[in-house]
Amino acid sequence: MSDAAGRGDGEADPKPARRLRPPRPAWLDVLAAGLAPGALLGTHLAGLIFFLNPGLPFSPGPVLRGVLVYGSLLGLVGLLLHLPFTWRSPRRARRGLPWGLTAALAAAALLDWTHAAFYAYYLPPGINERLIKTALWLSLGALIAFYTALLHTLHRRRYGVRSRSLLTLVTFLSVYAMVERREAFQPRLRPAPRPTAVEAGQRPRLLLVGIDTATLDALLPLASQGRLPFLAAVLRGGAYGRLESISPPRREALWTTLATGKLPYKHGVIGGRIYPASWIARGAELRLLPVGIAFRSWGTLGGEGYRVSTYPREVLTLWEILPRLGIPSGMVGWPASAPVPEETAFALSERFFTGAPEPRSARPEDAAARTRLYRPGPREMREPLGAGAPPVLLEAAVADLWRRSSFSVLHEQNPEVEAAFLVLPGLREVSRRFFGGFDAVQFAGDQSPEARQAAERIATYYALLDGWIAEVWNRESGPRLLAVVSPSGVEPQGRWERLQEGMTLRASLEGSLAAASDGILLLYGDGIRPGALLTEARLVDVAPTLLYGLGFPVAQDFDGKAITEAFEKSFLARHPLTFLPSYEGLEGAGR
């Protein structure tokens, strides 16, 4: 019997057999599982770089180049880490891919969260808010990917079309969220400053002395022990308190914030090094780098960066504001101050004293030649510091003595100056080398010879500074206002830092400058309330407080406020707090 007869007339022919697709090469699964998570993380790292550096051109070309560079780099790293576990096991690679994407999304979210907090004072509020929103979206994507991967792992389910589509959609939406949030940022156009007029009148002379890394943890005990007679008198007869710093404690940014009353994202000075990024766009530069991932050693693609020659400051400092208000000013040794302004009667930038001065680092032009004549040698400091003083102490003291001598000479040659600014940085290196020993002796009762010697070196240097400040202050007469400031302090080395350095004796005696520890603010002179304790002073409060102490209004575009609790009631009654929109509209030479 034939097949046709056996089926009968009413039976349909069977469907033709479905043609099977050729199996996908196993190496493709292994390759995709290794590359995709790293490439995704590299894409978000590129996006983070554009968030941290708003000056980079955010257009398709630069963005794609950044994504290609960091996506390829981290993708290859991920593949190399992945291969030992998935080689010859495509099934394991396929099962591991969702977990890899989850880890990449979680790591990208963590990077965005931490950098939004770490660089909060350095990023414009608009871009910082968008970075936080990007972190929120990435966190949500990581949770969805984690839930999907967990369910399939626990129930040993295969990833179907819907699961694979969901993971793919989450991956692409995470990239879209990053691009959309960054593209949504548009820098606010600053309104053109209006001309400002301030009434003239009788005002005290201002002397501001900056001491790098000075801290009340050293100042108060040494003053109580009689080691600092002048500063002890300032503490008794004036106002003092801790000065809340900003994080990260980039030195140039801190000193500029103190001098302008504005945060780094406003004044534009965010660090001393710039890293070329020509692979992103021609002439592109990185000013803020991701932290915590050793980015400087690999992410700059071999570029070591270069030290800036002039600082792109976008707002006025006190020594630029005051001359435009009729108060002749002079400045010596202030960090990130070049090019020095033409408004000042005299000015020497900090790097003028380092042997590698920036262009226009001295004013007047002959000041450079004159002040080099007063450069001291180590012999001049051996007697004040003692015969056994280590080289680090001598070098710091010589550098500070040169600044102080130059300041005194220029001030004497310009007697019309009524507001003078001097920064002495020598304590910074001394604190870094010996503050741990001082802290151990003063607060932990350590009586070991090494700790006591370190403590004595800190005390000796503070005493030296005390005498110098007294000499500069006592040369003035009449109504005066003294401010002694430090934008950040120093702390003893933590356990982790000492562990990194091998728990050596030297490490235990050192101080740490990595944290944004509190600095100091001492105010003394006419109108200052004796014994006033300043409990909430911030770095951005110094400039408006000094302007108020000189009888001027407080600008509304300052990020700080005048610390009125530092002043006597009679002064407050005679000088009610007044405001104006901004000092940026003041006219001056070269501006």
Side-chain angles (χ1 to χ4, degrees):
M1 185 183 295
S2 68
D3 290 342
R7 285 195 302 266
D9 294 339
E11 245 179 283
D13 289 338
K15 294 181 179 179
R18 181 178 295 176
R19 295 179 64 184
L20 298 177
R21 296 179 182 177
R24 185 171 54 203
W27 62 268
L28 281 178
D29 292 331
V30 175
L31 187 66
L35 285 174
L40 178 60
L41 180 58
T43 297
H44 284 289
L45 178 62
L48 177 61
I49 290 171
F50 280 92
F51 273 104
L52 297 182
N53 298 272
L56 291 177
F58 196 77
S59 56
V63 171
L64 288 176
R65 283 191 287 272
V67 167
L68 180 63
V69 168
Y70 293 106
S72 302
L73 187 61
L74 293 189
L76 289 174
V77 172
L79 179 62
L80 293 176
L81 295 175
H82 200 260
L83 281 178
F85 304 98
T86 59
W87 182 247
R88 299 179 183 233
S89 180
R91 183 174 179 274
R92 183 181 296 173
R94 289 192 296 270
R95 303 292 296 184
L97 178 58
W99 288 106
L101 294 176
T102 300
L105 289 171
L110 181 62
L111 283 175
D112 286 357
W113 281 118
T114 54
H115 284 82
F118 187 73
Y119 285 126
Y121 295 115
Y122 290 75
L123 296 175
I127 203 166
N128 205 42
E129 292 170 5
R130 286 164 174 79
L131 181 57
I132 292 173
K133 290 179 180 179
T134 303
L136 281 170
W137 282 111
L138 292 179
S139 300
L140 178 61
L143 284 174
I144 294 173
F146 173 77
Y147 183 71
T148 303
L150 183 64
L151 284 181
H152 286 76
T153 300
L154 291 178
H155 299 290
R156 298 184 178 180
R157 291 164 47 189
R158 292 182 58 196
Y159 287 89
V161 174
R162 287 183 297 178
S163 299
R164 293 196 298 269
S165 299
L166 177 62
L167 289 172
T168 302
L169 181 63
V170 167
T171 299
F172 281 101
L173 284 179
S174 73
V175 177
Y176 173 78
M178 177 266 292
V179 173
E180 190 275 334
R181 286 291 81 201
R182 175 59 184 83
E183 189 178 24
F185 171 74
Q186 296 295 333
R188 292 181 181 177
L189 295 177
R190 296 182 180 178
R194 297 178 179 179
T196 301
V198 179
E199 294 182 2
Q202 185 67 28
R203 308 182 192 279
R205 300 170 74 91
L206 171 66
L207 172 63
L208 185 150
V209 180
I211 305 176
D212 222 338
T213 71
T215 172
L216 288 182
D217 291 339
L219 194 63
L220 292 178
L222 291 175
S224 65
Q225 296 164 15
R227 302 290 297 267
L228 311 176
F230 177 73
L231 291 176
V234 170
L235 292 170
R236 290 192 302 269
Y240 70 94
R242 297 183 183 275
L243 193 61
E244 181 183 337
S245 190
I246 60 175
S247 180
R250 295 191 166 193
R251 187 166 175 270
E252 296 88 352
L254 297 187
W255 283 103
T256 307
T257 297
L258 193 151
T260 62
K262 298 177 181 178
L263 292 170
Y265 78 88
K266 280 188 180 179
H267 62 61
V269 178
I270 58 177
R273 296 193 73 82
I274 292 176
Y275 297 85
S278 56
W279 64 90
I280 293 177
R282 180 179 297 179
E285 297 173 336
L286 303 182
R287 295 178 179 271
L288 289 179
L289 302 182
V291 296
I293 55 175
F295 185 86
R296 187 180 302 176
S297 62
W298 60 271
T300 59
L301 305 187
E304 297 183 359
Y306 58 89
R307 198 173 185 181
V308 296
S309 57
T310 56
Y311 295 88
R313 184 166 40 78
E314 300 173 5
V315 299
L316 295 174
T317 59
L318 284 173
W319 54 85
E320 292 172 305
I321 292 173
L322 291 173
R324 302 178 189 197
L325 295 173
I327 307 295
S329 301
M331 176 272 295
V332 169
W334 203 280
S337 57
V340 296
E342 297 180 6
E343 292 89 348
T344 53
F346 64 85
L348 297 172
S349 73
E350 181 185 55
R351 277 168 53 185
F352 168 82
F353 297 96
T354 65
E358 313 98 327
R360 293 170 56 194
S361 60
R363 176 174 173 79
E365 294 183 0
D366 61 344
R370 280 184 287 161
T371 54
R372 286 193 178 98
L373 299 176
Y374 296 96
R375 184 172 187 173
R379 292 183 180 179
E380 298 183 42
M381 297 308 307
R382 292 192 183 278
E383 183 177 349
L385 296 176
V392 63
L393 212 64
L394 286 171
E395 291 171 5
V398 167
D400 278 354
L401 178 59
W402 188 16
R403 288 165 170 79
R404 193 220 67 175
S405 301
S406 301
F407 176 84
S408 298
V409 170
L410 291 172
H411 206 344
E412 289 177 1
Q413 294 173 348
N414 297 271
E416 76 282 4
V417 167
E418 299 179 19
F421 303 83
L422 169 65
V423 173
L424 302 174
L427 182 63
R428 181 180 182 85
E429 184 61 21
V430 177
S431 296
R432 192 188 69 80
R433 288 288 300 274
F434 303 116
F435 186 78
F438 178 88
D439 181 84
V441 171
Q442 291 290 335
F443 303 109
D446 190 344
Q447 294 300 312
S448 65
E450 296 82 6
R452 292 179 65 182
Q453 185 181 57
E456 182 58 28
R457 286 168 178 166
I458 291 287
T460 299
Y461 208 87
Y462 269 90
L464 189 69
L465 294 172
D466 179 85
W468 286 345
I469 298 173
E471 289 178 13
V472 175
W473 175 251
N474 291 329
R475 288 179 179 175
E476 300 290 339
S477 59
R480 293 172 294 169
L481 175 61
L482 171 66
V484 180
V485 298
S486 173
S488 65
V490 60
E491 297 177 355
Q493 290 273 25
R495 293 182 180 179
W496 174 245
E497 291 170 308
R498 283 183 284 169
L499 183 63
Q500 286 181 310
E501 297 189 23
M503 297 297 289
T504 62
L505 175 61
R506 175 174 173 174
S508 67
L509 299 178
E510 290 181 346
S512 172
L513 307 178
S517 52
D518 292 338
I520 64 168
L521 174 60
L522 311 183
L523 297 173
Y524 181 66
D526 289 70
I528 302 299
R529 181 161 63 94
L533 179 62
L534 311 178
T535 56
E536 297 181 355
R538 301 173 302 158
L539 199 59
V540 289
D541 296 336
V542 175
T545 300
L546 294 179
L547 284 169
Y548 173 70
L550 295 177
F552 293 112
V554 174
Q556 292 173 330
D557 63 347
F558 282 142
D559 290 314
K561 60 181 179 61
I563 309 173
T564 54
E565 55 267 31
F567 297 90
E568 296 175 328
K569 292 183 179 180
S570 59
F571 183 91
L572 296 172
R574 295 193 310 271
H575 301 85
L577 193 60
T578 58
F579 299 91
L580 51 72
S582 176
Y583 280 110
E584 299 301 320
L586 292 171
E587 295 182 359
R591 189 82 179 184

